[in-house]
């Protein structure tokens, strides 16, 4: 292991920092998104749920579809869906915390959500102090992954950290295959974090963040 090398770990938040077994966390948010669609488009819950999924598939996020098709303002959307009393946050896990603590270098969240959702989650998992920054959709001017502009803005942000890190030592972890290609094109090390999935743009594939120790010796 070469410990003199500097590393930057870029973690997606949803279903990456918490596992697919904790999907109920995302389900609580999805229910709230459906309710936003229901209220904004004046649809019943069933239709709103279908529209939410269609926008997600077609535009990458439900918000992107709502913006393009209905001119929804991102902060109006997030202010409605991020009300804590309707949401479930991931629990503390000793194992998760220990794994994150063992990583050398800076850790940054790179999420298509708004920071308040994942900051509340990091706090709930008691790992907030381990992260150096949260780079959220607002920081990407509401144009999230996999748009190339999102990765360019992330790179500019990293340059301002004044770290002498080669691209290979930027490790990008995400549960969505569609987000890997652009990261790979930038020369970053890519890790797909999802059960039973493989992708041509993934340097490594693990089922969950709890399996990170399996590939760590090879990355370092
Ligand atoms: Mg995700």
């Amino acid at each position: 292991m070469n410990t003199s090398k500097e590393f930057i770990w870029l973690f997606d938040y949803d279903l990456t920092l918490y596992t697919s077994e904790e999907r109920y966390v995302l389900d609580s948010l999805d229910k709230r998104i459906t309710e936003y669609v229901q209220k904004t488009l004046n649809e019943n819950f069933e239709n709103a749920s279908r529209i939410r999924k269609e926008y997600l598939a077609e535009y990458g996020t439900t918000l992107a579809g709502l913006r393009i098709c209905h001119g929804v303002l991102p902060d109006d959307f997030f202010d409605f869906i991020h009300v804590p009393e309707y949401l479930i946050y991931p629990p503390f896990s000793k194992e998760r915390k220990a794994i994150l603590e063992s990583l050398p270098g800076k850790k940054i969240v790179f999420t298509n959500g708004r920071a308040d959702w994942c900051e509340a989650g990091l706090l709930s998992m008691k790992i907030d102090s381990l992260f150096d920054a949260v780079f959220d959709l607002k920081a990407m001017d509401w144009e999230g992954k996999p748009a190339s502009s999102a990765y360019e803005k992330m790179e500019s942000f990293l340059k301002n950290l004044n770290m002498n890190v080669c691209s290979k030592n930027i490790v990008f972890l995400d549960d969505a295959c569609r987000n890997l290609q652009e990261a790979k094109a930038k020369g970053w090390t890519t890790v797909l974090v999802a059960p039973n999935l493989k992708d041509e743009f993934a340097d490594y594939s693990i089922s969950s963040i709890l399996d990170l120790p399996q590939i760590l010796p090879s990355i370092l």
Side-chain angles (χ1 to χ4, degrees), residues 12 14-16 174-175:
D12 170 53
D14 291 294
L15 295 177
T16 298
D174 201 301
D175 67 292

Side-chain angles (χ1 to χ4, degrees), residues 13-15 18-32 86-93 96 117 124-125:
Y13 176 66
D14 291 294
L15 295 177
Y18 61 87
T19 71
S20 58
E21 285 173 13
E22 296 161 321
R23 211 203 142 85
Y24 54 86
V25 172
L26 191 58
D27 288 343
S28 75
L29 187 70
D30 281 347
K31 179 166 183 285
R32 205 56 196 149
Y86 299 108
L87 301 173
I88 302 170
Y89 299 103
F92 171 68
S93 150
R96 167 165 44 214
W117 162 244
S124 169
M125 291 187 274

Side-chain angles (χ1 to χ4, degrees), residues 165-201:
V165 179
C166 74
S167 304
K168 198 168 93 30
N169 288 0
I170 298 172
V171 186
F172 172 76
L173 304 95
D174 201 301
D175 67 292
C177 294
R178 64 174 177 271
N179 293 341
L180 298 178
Q181 185 172 1
E182 200 62 32
K184 182 80 184 152
K186 296 221 166 281
W188 302 351
T189 296
T190 53
V191 182
L192 179 63
V193 186
N196 309 315
L197 265 185
K198 292 269 179 278
D199 188 84
E200 60 179 312
F201 299 107

Side-chain angles (χ1 to χ4, degrees), residues 89-101:
Y89 299 103
F92 171 68
S93 150
K94 207 171 166 181
E95 191 184 359
R96 167 165 44 214
K97 188 177 182 190
I99 289 166
L100 290 168
E101 272 174 337

